[in-house]
Each structure stands twice: as structure tokens, then as C-alpha cells.
Amino acid sequence: DQQVKQNSPSLSVQEGRISILNCDYTNSMFDYFLWYKKYPAEGPTFLISISSIKDKNEDGRFTVFLNKSAKHLSLHIVPSQPGDSAVYFCAASANSGAGSYQLTFGKGTKLSVIP
Amino acid sequence: GEEVAQTPKHLVRGEGQKAKLYCAPIKGHSYVFWYQQVLKNEFKFLISFQNENVFDETGMPKERFSAKCLPNSPCSLEIQATKLEDSAVYFCASSPLREVYGYTFGSGTRLTVV
């Protein structure tokens, strides 16, 4: 039973354009969401996060949007750069109940930014 | 140092052999977390520690898997009698907080069981 789903295994985007990565979740107890970027043979590195009390969080070129009613979040990268090419993981956590203080990950989306 | 050090980077074991993986958290981080990533898919939570005490072990398989964090030693994850299905990359993360937004991940140990 996958609680965090990233339905697009891969995405190709032209340099300078917008990249939109999507993530859906099923567990209504999740109240904190994170995006991680991962290069081959390295651990995931934190990119941006959002609490369930917000619907948007922005950090430079990266913006995360949260739609709680749809249980959907998205990561926007504008403008996309070749160095953004990596696998992006969506992750979620609950601050109470089962699964609190641990991350539940999606399967990742491989982003390729074409120069 | 400012990185989570995981050793070894690669480990190959025959089925039935023991595997032991190590994780040195960032100095000053009280929490250590272990995750398993099978076939480049999603990460599965295994266990977490607050200093040398188990904080959450709800993801640990009941058999064959054990973990420790002892004072002044790297944390360890041990798999007794490895099986083919244990082949995965095992990631360790450390944090000064129990909350998930404090994580720093190591680069992982790739375990291959043949």
C-alpha cells in the first residue's frame, strides 16, 4: 500500500523552461512534506519543504504547492537548469500517531534538463 | 565533521552470510535513522535511535535484522543470514531533532547478496 505516489517515473524539460513534478498522498495524517534531490551514488539532499498549514512555500527557483483537499503537492523549478537533472523524491511525515518522526517516500521522478 | 559517514560503500555477501553496515552521524546529532532502498524504489524506514536508545523500530524486520548505537562508536546495522531480497542500498541519516526536517543523509551502503 503506497501512501506517497509519484506517478511519473521520468520527465524531460528544456533548459530555461519550467519543471513541474507531482506527488499524491493517501494518508490524511501526513502534515509535513519534503522534496529531496538525489544524484547517483549519493544520499538524498533536502530541497524544500512545506507544512500542512501552508499552501505554498518558495525558495529561489523552487516552489512547492500543497493542495490538502486533493492530497496533492507539486514542485516547480523555474527556470530549469542542466544541474537540476537528478531524481526527485517526495516524502511525507506525520507528527502524531503511527509513522510519526519517520519519512514515507515516493518512488521518485527522474528529471532530465536538456541544454 | 559535517557529513554522515557510511561504510563500507559496497558490500557483497553470499546468501546466508552476515552483513554489517556502519554509520557515523554528524557530531552533535542525537538522532540516527536507517532507511532501505530496494531497486531504486522508495525508501523504507527501518529504525531510529535517540543517542544509544531505540526511538522507533516499527520498520525493522522481526528476524535477522538488528541495530545498535553505542557511545563513542559508529552506529551499526547487522543482517544475520542474508537473503537475496536484502540486496538494497541502506541509507543512514542523522539529525539534531527527532522531527524529519533536520535530516542529513549519508551516501549509503550498497549491499549485494549473491
Side-chain angles (χ1 to χ4, degrees):
Chain A
D1 175 33
Q2 224 186 323
Q3 298 186 66
V4 176
K5 297 177 187 177
Q6 294 177 255
N7 291 320
S8 299
S10 62
L11 175 68
S12 287
V13 169
Q14 208 72 33
E15 180 179 2
R17 307 292 285 267
I18 184 171
S19 296
I20 300 177
L21 294 89
N22 293 304
C23 177
D24 298 291
Y25 62 97
T26 57
N27 187 342
S28 55
M29 295 298 292
F30 288 149
D31 56 6
Y32 199 81
F33 304 89
L34 307 90
W35 285 93
Y36 284 88
K37 179 178 178 179
K38 186 180 180 305
Y39 294 116
E42 293 184 12
T45 53
F46 170 74
L47 198 56
I48 192 169
S49 62
I50 189 166
S51 163
S52 60
I53 61 172
K54 293 186 168 184
D55 54 19
K56 177 182 173 181
N57 187 27
E58 196 170 348
D59 183 2
R61 297 186 297 114
F62 303 92
T63 304
V64 56
F65 295 91
L66 175 62
N67 182 333
K68 279 180 62 180
S69 59
K71 293 192 174 69
H72 176 83
L73 62 156
S74 61
L75 173 68
H76 292 210
I77 306 173
V78 183
S80 301
Q81 299 173 353
D84 297 330
S85 297
V87 179
Y88 289 77
F89 288 92
C90 172
S93 177
N95 276 336
S96 62
S100 56
Y101 309 117
Q102 57 178 262
L103 286 171
T104 301
F105 284 84
K107 291 190 175 185
T109 296
K110 183 175 183 179
L111 174 66
S112 301
V113 180
I114 304 158
Chain B
E2 289 300 308
E3 66 171 27
V4 176
Q6 288 191 249
T7 55
K9 288 198 182 305
H10 302 279
L11 189 59
V12 180
R13 286 289 177 266
E15 236 185 327
Q17 291 185 314
K18 183 175 78 173
K20 197 163 185 179
L21 293 61
Y22 297 92
C23 169
I26 292 172
K27 198 172 181 181
H29 283 192
S30 307
Y31 291 86
V32 170
F33 307 83
W34 286 96
Y35 285 81
Q36 178 195 52
Q37 187 192 25
V38 177
L39 291 176
K40 295 189 178 180
N41 282 330
E42 69 265 30
F43 296 68
K44 180 191 168 215
F45 171 79
L46 294 175
I47 190 169
S48 59
F49 288 84
Q50 180 182 9
N51 297 312
E52 57 265 29
N53 303 307
V54 174
F55 184 70
D56 180 353
E57 57 182 349
T58 53
M60 276 292 261
K62 298 284 184 243
E63 298 173 354
R64 302 186 298 108
F65 282 66
S66 63
K68 290 180 191 176
C69 279
L70 299 175
N72 302 314
S73 297
C75 296
S76 63
L77 177 69
E78 190 168 311
I79 309 171
Q80 301 286 342
T82 52
K83 297 183 177 181
L84 296 175
E85 69 223 40
D86 299 330
S87 295
V89 182
Y90 292 83
F91 288 96
C92 170
S94 73
S95 174
L97 312 163
R98 64 182 181 179
E99 282 79 11
V100 296
Y101 43 79
Y103 281 28
T104 301
F105 279 92
S107 56
T109 293
R110 178 177 296 279
L111 172 65
T112 303
V113 181
V114 297

